[in-house]
Amino acid sequence: MFNSCMFTGDATSKESSPFINSSTSDVEKCQQYDGKNMALFEEEMDTSPMVSSLLSSLANYSNLTQGSKEHEEAENNEEARKKTVQAPRMGTIMGVYLPCMQNILGVILFLRMTWLVGIGGVLGTFTIVFMCCSTTMLTAISMSAIATNGVVPAGGSYYMISRSLGPEFGGAVGICFYLGTTFAGAMYILGCIEILLIYIVPAAAIFKMEGLEGAEAEAALLNNMRVYGTIVLSFMALVVFVGVKYVNKLALVFLACVILSILAVYAGVIKTSFDPPDFPVCVLGNRTLASKGFDICAKTIERGNATLTTKLWRAFCDSEFLNATCDEYFTSNNIQGIPGITSGILAGQKTPKNSILEKRGVPAVLDPEATVTNTNRYVMADITSFFTLLVGIYFPSVTGIMAGSNRSGDLQDAQKSIPIGTILAITTTSIIYMSSVILFGACVDGVVLRDKFGEGVDGNLVIGTLAWPSPWVIVFGSFFSTCGAGLQSLTGAPRLLQAIARDGIIPFLRVFGHGKANGEPTWALLLTACICESGILIASLDAVAPILSMFFLMCYMFVNLACALQTLLRTPNWRPRFKFYHWALSLLGMSLCLTLMFLCSWYYAIVAMVIASCIYKYIEFCGAEKEWGDGIRGISLSAARYALMRLEEGPPHTKNWRPQILVLMSLDAEQNVEQPRLLSLTSQLKAGKGLTIVGACVEGTYLNNQPQAQEGDQVRLMEVEKVKGFSQVVISSNLRDATSHLIQAGGLGGLRHNTVLVSYPKNWKQAEEHHRCRNFIEVVRETTAARLALLVPKNISAYPSNGERFTEGHIDVWWIVHDGGMLMLLPFLLRQHKVWRKCKIRIFTVAQMDDNSIQMKKDLMTFLYHLRFDAEVEVVEMHESDISAYTYEKTLMMEQRSQILKEMHLTKNEREREIQSITDVSRGSIRRKNPSNLHPQRSIAEESVGGGGEEKSEEEVAAVSHFVLCAIIHQSYKETSHSQKKSLQYGVSFRNQSNVRRMHHAQKLNEVIVKKSQEAKLVLLNMPGPPKNRTGEENYMEFLEVLTEGLNRVLLVRGGGREVITIYS
């Protein structure tokens, strides 16, 4: 064991160490680990803590309050660690089972369940209930698997979805869940107002409905709902703002109201079997009469020997006398009272809006052509009912299954309590709902069940007709339960929004992450109240219910998707303690959710999906980058692997070819990009999509330069120029090898680059830039050998940025040799970008002496027509001509320069002797013609080469050698007589006679291009191939220089040896 400590200065900072307090001094760390047999690892303790320290940190972990940051981030906060957190106290029953029961059982059961049975029938309603309960049970199974796969901090469903599906899906589904919870609050408040105004104190209505019929009565009811709903919402929001503790204290009271009401219904059903209550329903013919306005279900009554008319008579007749004129239907049909509590129905009856509820099996005399009068005396259907509407109205009654997971921070053992409590609560409520369907159908007459507001049973709540000991038990119980559910929604929704805002994934919601000093979400509560008010303004419970059904169904669908993905991808971290799950069950639950969404309302489903998609794309483009180890990353990896394996099956077809570009960027000493316009050009070319790899080379060793390479700004520039691709930095002992490695190893499998984009070497004639010139030529050779296309922009700094626009101009293509169609494809791709969109394409081709230029133009136009390219065509004829003296001059200077560069590779002494000999020869030829110029040349040579006795570096000597000899050669040729030039033209023997021909062709072609395309915005030109041997490298660059002289923007193009365009579809 070592007794001494080694101190290093490169320890990891505190921010990167979640377990060890990195502020400890080196001496303290030495004392801390001394004597623990850890000396071998003491330098890594900041990043690799001892096992005992890790286990202690995890064992003492406590869940955070809802809306807090992730526990990993909180671990780094000393204040969070110092704060005393009370131990969780709630178990399965109090923490999960009862909250789920309270949220699931609610307003729909008391206000709409009997009506659903009456409209859908026992069988149809039972099917709806079974489908919805099955959906929530399958979702609960998936949620249990996710909740038991590690510690779930408070945040519940949002936390589970976002950490399983990523920030994009998590944010979208979190917002949907928030909207669903908020609209649920609106639904509960509307239910509360409906109970208050219709069953408890009808006289409190501000807009009186007495005497109104049809649309007027409906409008009055809705306006009452809006006014009172707004008042109740304001009061509830104030209660939540003042203190959530009051809401939590009343939660058990509200739950007791729900349970008491349900027990009263079951007790009433048992009593009905031997002592049915007296609730007669008055029927005229087969039409159900509203019980308001009369006390006796008869036209006349016998009192003594007299026959007296009733209030019902006076409702349908113009006077109380027997000879009065009465409604035709009233006169033709008899009135009878039927028991409301009787053996019920198995089949439902769909009713159109404003139709009269009719009793089946009762005969009635009806004139088909007669119009219905006195409609306010009958029980009317307020909405058109159909099966899918019933699904949308019922589904909110099974939501609330995530109430337990939302309280995960307060549970003693969340991984045990959430699955057991949630599944047990769903089982209990499913039994209650299914039994209610059967009992209501068996005990209540169909015409009463279809009476939504109890107009035919003295304005009582229909479910109250079964209650024991009194219907008021149900009325008040349902009233308080809806109030409690509304308060719970207004309490939970702002905290959910606060959790999303504090995650920072949706930038514009960050303001809602703030609140009062105690963490209460004040701004989130204000937004929740505003959204809830929009639901109250709809004013119809039946219209609000399908809206929140959409949002909850979407949330449940993604919970199932998250579980299925994690299971199918076999993520290493997917090890849930809950074992009773299967990916098939999750997929079945997801399919049921999607089916129910479109069953409820296809247009609401589309709107909900559009909202979620917009949020998803917003987070994708503008949201914060979060890495949560989500399943979407896993599926992306699997899909990428599958796609790469498919690409390996064979080369792409010509129709699928697109430029996959490797951009070779050069970096300066500070790792800044020297030619950022290369990325602008790349972005403009990538209208054809495909792969982009931005490669950079760093000279050095990997161990020493790896951090430096990661700090390059090519990634930042890629974001600025909106280049979608990858950045790759290669570190090597020299730039030439690094570039070669990039070209060879870039890409993966079938997703490799097929095109290399490299800038033309600037100032390549200068000696200090000679290495870049050689590297450039080697890139040309290697791309040719690898059968890759090559794009070389010259004067890249003159190319437009992505913000510029050309309003007119031409893109000129000089098609000299066939390159597989690259010259044709590139201008088409450029014109897809807004910079070049308004430029027109002109294609020039060169005709030789034995070519038919007219036929060539026709053939080229036909070819372009089949290619679907719009371009102007011109054939340029180049006639043979004598080689000019200028061509010989350029060739001579080029060969002299090549000789100089060759001599530059000699040793220092040899180089100086070679320079002196060349200088002497040149002076001798010049002295004979113009002796007066000798002295300045001597001064330059002596001062430059001799250097006044000072010792020069090799780089300085090389630069001076290049300058002096170029000046001497140029002056020597300048002083040559006309007769000597003629002899040069015909008699001088060059080292390589082909250089003269190449120079001549480059010069003549350049003259034609400059004449035709000097004003073009861009010139695309075939790039000549590199020399086969290395002796002519400098000559090759001279040819390119002459070929492109006088042109502003030139893009030299070499094809990759394969066809990239086709005329076939």
Side-chain angles (χ1 to χ4, degrees), residues 665-668 671-676 679 713-714 717:
M665 307 292 296
S666 56
L667 306 177
D668 59 17
Q671 304 303 310
N672 295 320
V673 173
E674 291 184 346
Q675 297 119 352
L679 289 178
D713 70 337
Q714 64 270 14
L717 276 176

Side-chain angles (χ1 to χ4, degrees), residues 606-833:
I606 292 175
V607 170
M609 288 182 173
V610 168
I611 292 174
S613 301
C614 292
I615 298 171
Y616 179 94
K617 299 306 290 185
Y618 176 80
I619 297 174
E620 186 178 29
F621 286 107
C622 304
E625 292 291 336
K626 297 285 185 180
E627 177 51 65
W628 288 331
D630 51 86
I632 295 300
R633 296 292 177 93
I635 198 171
S636 299
L637 181 62
S638 299
R641 182 186 62 83
Y642 175 78
L644 285 173
M645 298 298 292
R646 289 290 305 272
L647 288 175
E648 281 288 278
E649 295 178 0
H653 192 273
T654 302
K655 290 185 289 187
N656 296 326
W657 193 95
R658 56 183 59 181
Q660 322 276 25
I661 299 179
L662 169 63
V663 186
L664 297 179
M665 307 292 296
S666 56
L667 306 177
D668 59 17
E670 286 76 27
Q671 304 303 310
N672 295 320
V673 173
E674 291 184 346
Q675 297 119 352
R677 287 296 169 86
L678 266 181
L679 289 178
S680 301
L681 178 61
T682 304
S683 175
Q684 294 158 22
L685 278 170
K686 293 314 289 180
K689 309 304 180 196
L691 172 72
T692 300
I693 301 175
V694 178
C697 302
V698 175
E699 192 170 2
T701 62
Y702 185 78
L703 292 179
N704 296 332
N705 298 90
Q706 194 268 342
Q708 178 187 5
Q710 299 301 320
E711 296 174 359
D713 70 337
Q714 64 270 14
V715 176
R716 179 188 62 82
L717 276 176
M718 289 174 67
E719 294 177 357
V720 172
E721 299 294 342
K722 298 181 179 179
V723 175
K724 299 292 185 181
F726 309 97
S727 174
Q728 188 170 357
V729 180
V730 174
I731 304 173
S732 183
S733 57
N734 61 80
L735 296 179
R736 171 83 289 279
D737 289 344
T739 305
S740 179
H741 296 160
L742 265 178
I743 294 175
Q744 294 178 59
L748 177 65
L751 199 62
R752 296 191 70 252
H753 54 273
N754 54 29
T755 304
V756 176
L757 176 63
V758 60
S759 179
Y760 190 84
K762 189 178 181 181
N763 302 325
W764 62 270
K765 293 184 179 181
Q766 298 179 6
E768 59 270 18
E769 299 290 330
H770 180 60
H771 66 284
R772 293 199 178 188
C773 173
R774 294 181 61 84
N775 288 347
F776 172 75
I777 297 174
E778 286 301 310
V779 168
V780 179
R781 284 200 178 99
E782 290 179 357
T783 54
T784 302
R787 298 177 65 83
L788 301 174
L790 178 65
L791 307 180
V792 182
K794 188 180 178 184
N795 300 330
I796 186 63
S797 59
Y799 277 66
S801 65
N802 287 333
E804 298 180 37
R805 304 284 187 279
F806 288 132
T807 56
E808 58 182 0
H810 295 90
I811 300 176
D812 286 358
V813 177
W814 284 85
W815 192 19
I816 312 301
V817 294
H818 183 55
D819 57 354
M822 277 290 289
L823 280 173
M824 304 292 185
L825 184 61
L826 291 176
F828 170 77
L829 296 179
L830 284 173
R831 288 190 72 241
Q832 306 304 306
H833 197 273

Side-chain angles (χ1 to χ4, degrees), residues 299-310 320 322:
K299 295 181 181 180
T300 58
I301 56 173
E302 300 291 336
R303 183 168 295 174
N305 295 325
T307 302
L308 302 177
T309 59
T310 62
E320 60 182 8
L322 293 175

Side-chain angles (χ1 to χ4, degrees), residues 13-275:
S13 63
K14 175 178 179 289
E15 284 76 10
S16 62
S17 176
F19 301 108
I20 303 297
N21 187 356
S22 300
S23 62
T24 308
S25 66
D26 290 339
V27 176
E28 290 173 340
K29 283 195 286 186
C30 176
Q31 295 172 355
Q32 184 178 0
Y33 299 118
D34 192 18
K36 295 185 179 179
N37 299 312
M38 298 298 295
L40 192 60
F41 300 96
E42 64 187 15
E43 294 185 2
E44 302 175 351
M45 280 299 166
D46 283 342
T47 56
S48 302
M50 289 187 297
V51 174
S52 60
S53 174
L54 173 67
L55 294 179
S56 175
S57 177
L58 294 179
N60 294 328
Y61 170 78
S62 60
N63 288 300
L64 307 176
T65 57
Q66 184 167 359
S68 297
K69 295 182 179 179
E70 290 186 64
H71 65 276
E72 293 92 346
E73 299 173 1
E75 285 284 340
N76 294 327
N77 190 341
E78 290 186 18
E79 295 181 0
R81 284 200 302 270
K82 292 178 181 177
K83 188 180 294 184
T84 302
V85 180
Q86 293 182 353
R89 294 184 301 274
M90 289 191 291
T92 302
I93 301 298
M94 293 299 296
V96 181
Y97 178 73
L98 292 180
C100 286
M101 286 277 292
Q102 181 183 2
N103 279 267
I104 294 173
L105 299 173
V107 62
I108 301 296
L109 173 64
F110 299 121
L111 295 184
R112 293 291 182 270
M113 198 67 191
T114 53
W115 177 78
L116 290 170
V117 176
I119 298 298
V122 173
L123 189 60
T125 309
F126 190 89
T127 302
I128 294 173
V129 173
F130 182 78
M131 285 177 61
C132 295
C133 292
S134 299
T135 302
T136 54
M137 180 61 77
L138 292 173
T139 303
I141 292 173
S142 299
M143 183 187 69
S144 299
I146 298 174
T148 58
N149 186 52
V151 178
V152 179
S157 54
Y158 163 69
Y159 181 92
M160 289 188 295
I161 296 171
S162 61
R163 271 55 176 181
S164 298
L165 293 179
E168 293 88 0
F169 277 105
V173 178
I175 293 297
C176 287
F177 190 50
Y178 163 73
L179 292 174
T181 307
T182 304
F183 276 101
M187 183 188 72
Y188 292 133
I189 292 174
L190 289 174
C192 171
I193 302 304
E194 183 176 312
I195 295 171
L196 180 69
L197 293 181
I198 295 180
Y199 304 110
I200 299 179
V201 281
I206 298 175
F207 299 90
K208 302 300 181 182
M209 294 177 287
E210 295 180 3
L212 300 179
E213 298 182 13
E216 294 179 351
E218 181 181 1
L221 175 62
L222 296 182
N223 288 331
N224 284 319
M225 302 284 282
R226 292 185 181 105
V227 172
Y228 278 98
T230 303
I231 295 172
V232 172
L233 172 62
S234 303
F235 175 74
M236 287 185 175
L238 183 62
V239 171
V240 174
F241 176 77
V242 170
V244 182
K245 58 182 180 180
Y246 302 112
V247 179
N248 293 332
K249 288 180 180 179
L250 293 173
L252 285 178
V253 177
F254 296 140
L255 177 60
C257 292
V258 175
I259 296 175
L260 184 63
S261 301
I262 293 173
L263 291 178
V265 172
Y266 279 100
V269 169
I270 295 172
K271 178 178 177 296
T272 300
S273 61
F274 59 85
D275 185 16

